[in-house]
Each structure stands twice: as structure tokens, then as C-alpha cells.
């Protein structure tokens, strides 16, 4: 390996990082990771950190897991990649079957891609073309304020985070936005509650009643994660399913962040007994190993794309690496690990433990809100606790707290001033204590 100083220098010279103000990045000391083991990451100086954000919400069973490594090696010794445009490969077939088995029962078809944004992009295009194939022209998507579905233009169009998406407004297609459930309920009712859920659903119903050109309602599952961990009222997702059925529009549920155990069940939809027309998966699908995503849909949608070749009803969409052999092989092993290691059973008491320990944050001077869904949590920092006044954006308070946590061997990345805890599902309660104690300490130094 090159010496650390040269690596740091080259990193700052050649590498443009995602979601990063490079002027600031180049002025700071940054972590360059070299290897991982379980929940730990090691940097080029050999320092050890707990990966408390699961490497941007995708790691599940820990880094460098023997079974996942083995699955990759075995596949690698056969073939790394073969195209799925009109031909097939073994791990992609096995994984498709497995995904259909573990997702809600109306989902029977799997379309692969590489990243969450693409899985959403594909759901958008499939939903749009579904109506065209049936001879109807519809073009409006109903979305939520504060939604995040990824960074490609279609996914940005259905997004609602002004800070990320506002710049591109002129490039985006038309949507109708209904309020972000958490923010709406907080402002109007002071909390998430049944009345608030009903009011939100009636806002949606009004839109669906008035417009006959709605393609689909798209929303995240149970929580708006990238917006700062904003949970929905219980039953909201189910209510949306009932309304979309009643008014004959499609429903796209984005489980990219929530899928693969993050909320305590394999998929959040299962907690509300919802089967959407499209489910988007990514992040945890390979246990955090390789880029892979999937859009699942129903027999009914699939059938609308069947025709004689000349009728041109098929889906003209694909990527070079669609259904990549290595990624599918490791995804399959990732799902098998859930069964072998009883990951979800073991997770339940960690979720309870997290709930209990999160209460301690309410006592801190600069904590304005604490939010949780399953094993996902957000702790919102405020400058003034009484009025809820936030810190000025440019001060980067969340980042400063995250940097402090590094002194205690904990790696975090906040969403603005919301400190995110998205620990790998395999973490144990001692390691959770290290993370939570570090974060409490870092916040208390503000
Ligand atoms: C992260 C995320 C995406 C985008 O996934 P990428 O793999 O980063 O493109 C989409 N939807 C949700 C809900 C996400 O959290």
C-alpha cells in the first residue's frame, strides 16, 4: 500500500466525493478505510471505528463475513458477469425466486438494477408504461413532501427535499405533493396520531378523486429516512394502499432504506400487511457488499407488457450490469444468512434496547427530537431547545458531532443536524453502548 500521506493527497487531488462540499473536505482530515471486520472498520493508520451507519445504511451482517466472502469467491471462480438482456444466469434466477418468496405475496416478478435510484426510476417508467400499454395516457405521480428516492432525474422528480432537489426543478416532471406525514402531524397535532393519519388520507383522497391522470402514488415505507428519520403514523401505508385500490391507481413503495430487516421485519410492508404494485429494493440487498437493486411487481403489471413482438409493448430498459452474477450470488447468501443466523429474532431485543437508551437523549440540552422506527433512529440537534430553533445551516453542527464521535472510535454520518443511528443488524449491545455513549458525550460538548 502507498503511504498514508500520499493516499490522503491523491484522495484530495483526484477524487470528487458524493454529497460532499469538496472545498471543505480538502481542508479537513478524512477517514480512509482500508479493511473491515464485523461492525468494525479500520483506516489506513490502523485506527478502529464502529460502522454505526452501516456504510450508508447497507451493511447487514457485518463486514468481511466469511459466508458472503465465500459466496463471492465461488461465483468468481465460475464467471463474474454475463448479460441478462435476452439471456440469463444462475444466481440471478435463484435470487429472483428467493425475493419473490420473501416479499409480500402479490409481488411475483423481479427487475434488477444496480442502485436504489435506478430501482425507483424503473418503477416510475414501468408504472407509466403500464397505463400506456392499456391504452390510457396518464402522467402525474403523487408524492410526499420531504420524500427521497435517489438522485437520478426521475427519482429526483418524485423527491421532495428542497435542499437536494430544488436546483433541478426545471428538469423535473410534474407531480402532486401531499404533506410529509411526520412534519404535518407534528405541526398540527403535536404528535403522530390516528386523527392525523385520517386527515392525511383525506388529503390524498381528495387528489385521487379530482385527478383522473394519476399514474401512481409513490412513497417510502413507514419512515422518510433521508429527510431526517421522519416516521409515518401507524397505518398510514395501509391507508394509502386502500385508497390507491379504491381509485384504481398504482402504488410504489420504496423499501430501499427499510428493507432487509432495518425496521424489525424483513420488509416494513409486512408490518402493515401491505402488498404494493411495486416494491423497490436496494441498500441491504447484498448485505452491503455490491451494488444491486431490484424492482418487484405483480402479475397484473407484468401481463400488461406481454404482446406480439411487433406490438412493441415490452419494456425498453436495461443496464449493462443488470442482474450481475457476483452481486446476485452475494445477495442470495445475504438472505440465507438471515435464516441461518436468526438475524431478525436476535434483532428484536436490540430494538427494545435502542428504544430504552434513546430516551436518555431527551435530557441533553441540544436535543430537540428523538425518532425511531425499528433499528433506525434519528436524534435532532437544535440550538435552542425551548423554541426548537435550529443551528444555522453553514455551521455544520451535525458533522462536528460526528467528527467528535471518531475520537471514541465511532463512525457516523448525520443528515444535516439529525444524528443518524443505522447500525449493522449484527451489532451487539456492548457495541451499541459504545456508539450511544460516544454520541451522548459528543452532543453534550456542544
Ligand atoms: C438511499 C435511498 C435511495 C437511493 O438509493 P441509491 O442506491 O443511493 O441510489 C432511494 N430510496 C430510499 C428510500 C433511500 O434511502
Amino acid at each position: 500500500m502507498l503511504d498514508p500521506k500520499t493516499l490522503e493527497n491523491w484522495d484530495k487531488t483526484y477524487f470528487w466525493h458524493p454529497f460532499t462540499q469538496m472545498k471543505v473536505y480538502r481542508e479537513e482530515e478524512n477517514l480512509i478505510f482500508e479493511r473491515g471486520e464485523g461492525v468494525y472498520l479500520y483506516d489506513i493508520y490502523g485506527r478502529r471505528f464502529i460502522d454505526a451507519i452501516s456504510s450508508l445504511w447497507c451493511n447487514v451482517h457485518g463486514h468481511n463475513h466469511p459466508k458472503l466472502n465465500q459466496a463471492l469467491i465461488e461465483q468468481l471462480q465460475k464467471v463474474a458477469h454475463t448479460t441478462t438482456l435476452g439471456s440469463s444466469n444462475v444466481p440471478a434466477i435463484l435470487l429472483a425466486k428467493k425475493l419473490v418468496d420473501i416479499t409480500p405475496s402479490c409481488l411475483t416478478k423481479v427487475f434488477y438494477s444496480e442502485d436504489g435510484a435506478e430501482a425507483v426510476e424503473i418503477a416510475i417508467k414501468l408504472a407509466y408504461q403500464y397505463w400506456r400499454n392499456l391504452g390510457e395516457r396518464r402522467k402525474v405521480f403523487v408524492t410526499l413532501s420531504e420524500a427521497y428516492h435517489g438522485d437520478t432525474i426521475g427519482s429526483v422528480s418524485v423527491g421532495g427535499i428542497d435542499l437536494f432537489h430544488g436546483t433541478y426543478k426545471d428538469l423535473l416532471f410534474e407531480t402532486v405533493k401531499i404533506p410529509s406525514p411526520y412534519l404535518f402531524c407534528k405541526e398540527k397535532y403535536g404528535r403522530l396520531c390516528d386523527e392525523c393519519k385520517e386527515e392525511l388520507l383525506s388529503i390524498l383522497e381528495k387528489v385521487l378523486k379530482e385527478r383522473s391522470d394519476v399514474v401512481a402514488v409513490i412513497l417510502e415505507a413507514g419512515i422518510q429516512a433521508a429527510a431526517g428519520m421522519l416516521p409515518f403514523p401507524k397505518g398510514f401505508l395501509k391507508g394509502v394502499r386502500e385508497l390507491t385500490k379504491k381509485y384504481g391507481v398504482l402504488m410504489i413503495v420504496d423499501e430501499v432504506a427499510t428493507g432487509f430487516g432495518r425496521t424489525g421485519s424483513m420488509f416494513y410492508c409486512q408490518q402493515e400487511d401491505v402488498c404494493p404494485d411495486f416494491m423497490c429494493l436496494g441498500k441491504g440487498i447484498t448485505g452491503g457488499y455490491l451494488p444491486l437493486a431490484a424492482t418487484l411487481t405483480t402479475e397484473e403489471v407484468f401481463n400488461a407488457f406481454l404482446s406480439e413482438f411487433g406490438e412493441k409493448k415490452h419494456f425498453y430498459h436495461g443496464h449493462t450490469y443488470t442482474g450481475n452474477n457476483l452481486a446476485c450470488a452475494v445477495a442470495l447468501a445475504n438472505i440465507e444468512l438471515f435464516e441461518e443466523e436468526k438475524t431478525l429474532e436476535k434483532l428484536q431485543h436490540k430494538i427494545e434496547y435502542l428504544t430504552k437508551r434513546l430516551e436518555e437523549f431527551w435530557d441533553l440540552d441540544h436535543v430537540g427530537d428523538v425518532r425511531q422506527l425499528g433499528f433506525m433512529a434519528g436524534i435532532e440537534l437544535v440550538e435552542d431547545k425551548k423554541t426548537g430553533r435550529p443551528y444555522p445551516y453553514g455551521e455544520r453542527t451535525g458533522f462536528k458531532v460526528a467528527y467528535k464521535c471518531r475520537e471514541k472510535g465511532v463512525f457516523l454520518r448525520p443528515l444535516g443536524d439529525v444524528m443518524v443511528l443505522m447500525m449493522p443488524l449484527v451489532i451487539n449491545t456492548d457495541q451499541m453502548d459504545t456508539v450511544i455513549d460516544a454520541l451522548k458525550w459528543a452532543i453534550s460538548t456542544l
Side-chain angles (χ1 to χ4, degrees):
M1 190 181 79
L2 280 174
D3 68 281
K5 292 292 162 212
T6 308
L7 277 171
E8 283 168 351
N9 185 13
W10 287 7
D11 179 40
K12 289 179 178 176
T13 308
Y14 301 115
F15 189 173
W16 188 343
H17 290 262
F19 270 106
T20 300
Q21 175 45 259
M22 292 306 292
K23 179 176 186 298
V24 175
Y25 183 87
R26 292 195 310 192
E27 290 161 358
E28 290 179 338
E29 267 184 51
N30 306 293
L31 293 178
I32 302 177
F33 294 119
E34 196 199 0
R35 61 192 182 87
E37 188 77 58
V39 300
Y40 296 107
L41 290 171
Y42 296 81
D43 78 351
I44 50 175
Y45 294 99
R47 293 177 299 195
R48 190 181 84 166
F49 302 89
I50 296 182
D51 184 0
I53 49 156
S54 299
S55 287
L56 238 291
W57 315 355
C58 62
N59 194 280
V60 177
H61 305 290
H63 296 279
N64 213 344
H65 193 290
K67 178 172 166 119
L68 300 182
N69 292 3
Q70 191 56 34
L72 266 179
I73 291 164
E74 277 171 24
Q75 182 56 41
L76 194 55
Q77 284 164 342
K78 292 176 187 152
V79 65
H81 179 70
T82 58
T83 183
T84 55
L85 275 66
S87 54
S88 201
N89 75 60
V90 177
I93 296 168
L94 298 178
L95 178 62
K97 161 88 166 66
K98 193 77 176 171
L99 288 172
V100 167
D101 285 347
I102 64 171
T103 49
S105 62
C106 76
L107 299 167
T108 56
K109 305 289 175 195
V110 179
F111 199 102
Y112 291 115
S113 54
E114 290 73 56
D115 292 284
E118 282 176 274
V120 170
E121 205 73 48
I122 286 162
I124 289 169
K125 285 178 73 179
L126 280 174
Y128 177 81
Q129 193 180 336
Y130 168 81
W131 293 112
R132 289 189 57 117
N133 282 357
L134 294 186
E136 265 193 61
R137 280 205 178 228
R138 298 181 173 218
K139 70 176 180 73
V140 163
F141 286 80
V142 177
T143 65
L144 301 188
S145 292
E146 305 304 321
Y148 180 79
H149 297 290
D151 297 322
T152 55
I153 289 295
S155 302
V156 168
S157 291
V158 293
I161 300 181
D162 206 47
L163 177 66
F164 302 165
H165 304 143
T167 309
Y168 310 104
K169 219 164 57 206
D170 290 349
L171 299 179
L172 309 180
F173 57 72
E174 187 191 345
T175 61
V176 176
K177 282 198 174 32
I178 67 168
S180 161
Y182 187 85
L183 298 182
F184 180 82
C185 295
K186 195 84 201 258
E187 189 174 318
K188 200 147 176 205
Y189 295 85
R191 67 201 162 92
L192 294 179
C193 57
D194 248 22
E195 303 101 278
C196 181
K197 180 193 78 183
E198 293 305 330
E199 185 172 351
L200 281 161
L201 290 172
S202 67
I203 294 170
L204 174 63
E205 178 152 23
K206 193 157 171 283
V207 172
L208 297 181
K209 212 181 248 167
E210 278 169 6
R211 300 198 62 139
S212 56
D213 57 350
V214 174
V215 175
V217 177
I218 174 167
L219 72 176
E220 286 151 88
I223 186 168
Q224 295 188 299
M229 300 293 163
L230 307 176
F232 295 165
K234 282 265 166 308
F236 177 68
L237 201 71
K238 194 167 180 66
V240 173
R241 175 70 286 189
E242 282 159 8
L243 286 176
T244 47
K245 278 232 168 94
K246 180 171 171 192
Y247 290 93
V249 307
L250 298 167
M251 180 185 191
I252 302 170
V253 174
D254 178 351
E255 288 242 22
V256 171
T258 47
F260 297 94
R262 256 349 125 172
T263 69
S265 51
M266 200 60 158
F267 303 101
Y268 180 77
C269 278
Q270 293 160 334
Q271 291 186 29
E272 296 198 7
D273 198 17
V274 163
C275 194
D277 300 289
F278 298 92
M279 183 188 265
C280 304
L281 302 176
K283 291 199 169 104
I285 191 170
T286 61
Y289 264 57
L290 284 174
L292 182 73
T295 308
L296 277 83
T297 190
T298 62
E299 212 61 21
E300 188 186 335
V301 169
F302 179 80
N303 286 341
F305 287 73
L306 301 179
S307 72
E308 294 310 317
F309 198 87
E311 289 176 69
K312 299 180 191 161
K313 284 197 175 172
H314 52 292
F315 189 41
Y316 291 91
H317 182 114
H319 300 277
T320 310
Y321 288 101
T322 296
N324 172 258
N325 313 49
L326 287 174
C328 290
V330 75
L332 203 55
N334 171 51
I335 296 169
E336 286 165 6
L337 266 183
F338 274 92
E339 292 154 24
E340 287 168 27
E341 296 192 343
K342 304 203 182 327
T343 308
L344 292 178
E345 288 92 317
K346 290 181 189 161
L347 183 63
Q348 305 311 318
H349 88 274
K350 298 179 212 177
I351 291 174
E352 283 165 30
Y353 189 65
L354 180 64
T355 308
K356 196 173 115 225
R357 289 231 51 193
L358 281 174
E359 278 171 26
E360 299 166 25
F361 285 87
W362 287 107
D363 297 335
L364 300 179
D365 286 344
H366 291 286
V367 170
D369 199 7
V370 181
R371 302 183 282 264
Q372 181 191 9
L373 178 68
F375 213 44
M376 305 165 74
I379 294 146
E380 185 167 339
L381 307 178
V382 289
E383 186 159 34
D384 186 337
K385 192 168 178 133
K386 281 205 191 70
T387 61
R389 186 182 72 237
Y391 285 98
Y393 179 71
E395 280 188 13
R396 305 174 72 235
T397 308
F399 277 100
K400 286 179 187 157
V401 169
Y403 293 162
K404 268 236 160 291
C405 290
R406 294 181 187 176
E407 295 172 27
K408 303 281 185 190
V410 173
F411 174 54
L412 286 173
R413 181 178 169 87
L415 290 159
D417 287 343
V418 177
M419 305 312 298
V420 172
L421 291 179
M422 274 275 226
M423 297 170 278
L425 305 190
V426 287
I427 196 167
N428 65 38
T429 48
D430 288 344
Q431 294 160 336
M432 287 174 69
D433 282 337
T434 303
V435 171
I436 291 163
D437 292 343
L439 183 55
K440 272 184 73 184
W441 167 78
I443 294 173
S444 70
T445 65
L446 284 174

